[in-house]
Amino acid sequence: MRIATWNINSVRTRVDRAVAFLERNDIDVLAMQETKCADDKFPYSAFEAAGYEVAHVGYHQWNGVALISRVGLDNVRDHFPNQPRFHKDPEKPQEREARAVGATCGGVDIWSLYVPNGREIGDRHYDYKLEFLWRLAEAVEPGTPQVFCGDYNIAPTDKDVWDRAFFEGKTHVTEPERAAFDNLLESGLAPIKHEDPYSYWDYKAMRFQKNEGMLIDFQLTGMEAGGFVDKHEREGKGASDHAPVVADYDVTRVLIDDVR
């Protein structure tokens, strides 16, 4: 099974690119983040015409996640258990955001996740991010075929950023964030293997042209898989600031012996 994860940064803006990507790379399941639209605005017909089913969670023009599958789409869930909630006003009821969608695709439990950014160290959104990650670890079932795809908004090691000094005092590289990411791995997951250093390049300061990027998009799994970052999708006019991470899975082999 070939699975991809991609922060599309507005699906309605890039729907043609997305369909072309699916066909060119022979993708079975695409986990998409930052669709930036409500459910009734999602371009379902474009993907259905290409032979895919769609599960989308979007409440308004922010966030938004989707699973796009040609190998089945069963047991669709619009959140994981105990998924935390957030509202910018702490005095108002906290709301569940459109940051997770899960489904069974071809016998594999696949999640598309858009982890909160965190904004600034000490911000309520930073605490929300950490809680989101720790709660997510509770959804891991070691020894079962699961894939947790998404934009994690964390660079797990210093080699995953183009310049560690540039991020001093900023989110994405702090010890609490990395500890929360490591906890996911200790729950029985591992990132799929690939040789590409980055998956995200900011639009600002010619970051892509200078290859000043970050590795923050991952497929975490307990199955055997290897893949690549499709850097070409970051090229050209109208590209997302993220590139898709693509992986090929042997769905018959779960790495039970590697579960820690």
Side-chain angles (χ1 to χ4, degrees), residues 94-156:
Q94 303 301 287
E95 301 171 348
R96 183 183 295 129
E97 296 186 307
R99 293 186 177 274
V101 60
T104 303
C105 306
V108 179
D109 193 43
I110 303 177
W111 286 89
S112 180
L113 303 159
Y114 181 41
V115 176
N117 176 280
R119 298 177 183 169
E120 295 180 359
I121 299 170
D123 192 288
R124 288 181 57 248
H125 208 262
Y126 180 83
D127 295 335
Y128 170 47
K129 177 180 190 174
L130 296 178
E131 184 183 2
F132 188 98
L133 290 160
W134 285 93
R135 291 295 187 184
L136 178 62
E138 298 171 2
V140 179
E141 299 178 9
T144 63
Q146 290 181 300
V147 186
F148 294 83
C149 300
D151 176 358
Y152 280 81
N153 272 311
I154 294 174

Side-chain angles (χ1 to χ4, degrees), residues 65-226:
V65 286
L67 285 170
I68 299 166
S69 173
R70 67 179 183 186
V71 293
L73 198 62
D74 302 309
N75 189 26
V76 175
R77 287 143 287 165
D78 64 1
H79 66 283
F80 56 84
N82 300 315
Q83 180 176 323
R85 300 167 183 253
F86 183 82
H87 192 286
K88 62 182 180 181
D89 186 345
E91 301 301 321
K92 292 186 177 181
Q94 303 301 287
E95 301 171 348
R96 183 183 295 129
E97 296 186 307
R99 293 186 177 274
V101 60
T104 303
C105 306
V108 179
D109 193 43
I110 303 177
W111 286 89
S112 180
L113 303 159
Y114 181 41
V115 176
N117 176 280
R119 298 177 183 169
E120 295 180 359
I121 299 170
D123 192 288
R124 288 181 57 248
H125 208 262
Y126 180 83
D127 295 335
Y128 170 47
K129 177 180 190 174
L130 296 178
E131 184 183 2
F132 188 98
L133 290 160
W134 285 93
R135 291 295 187 184
L136 178 62
E138 298 171 2
V140 179
E141 299 178 9
T144 63
Q146 290 181 300
V147 186
F148 294 83
C149 300
D151 176 358
Y152 280 81
N153 272 311
I154 294 174
T157 71
D158 286 352
K159 70 179 180 61
D160 298 322
V161 295
W162 62 274
D163 182 357
R164 176 62 179 82
F166 177 84
F167 293 92
E168 193 63 38
K170 300 175 183 175
T171 61
H172 291 54
V173 299
T174 66
E175 290 186 11
E177 290 168 295
R178 288 177 171 179
F181 189 90
D182 287 344
N183 182 60
L184 280 168
L185 306 188
E186 291 166 2
S187 298
L189 305 175
I192 63 109
K193 297 177 181 179
H194 62 75
E195 300 300 321
D196 302 282
Y198 308 131
S199 62
Y200 165 84
W201 300 260
D202 200 324
Y203 289 129
K204 301 175 183 177
M206 301 286 288
R207 295 287 185 222
F208 181 69
Q209 290 77 4
K210 299 174 184 176
N211 199 30
E212 296 177 345
M214 306 173 68
L215 182 60
I216 58 176
D217 301 275
F218 296 95
Q219 297 191 37
L220 304 183
T221 185
M223 298 189 295
E224 286 193 349

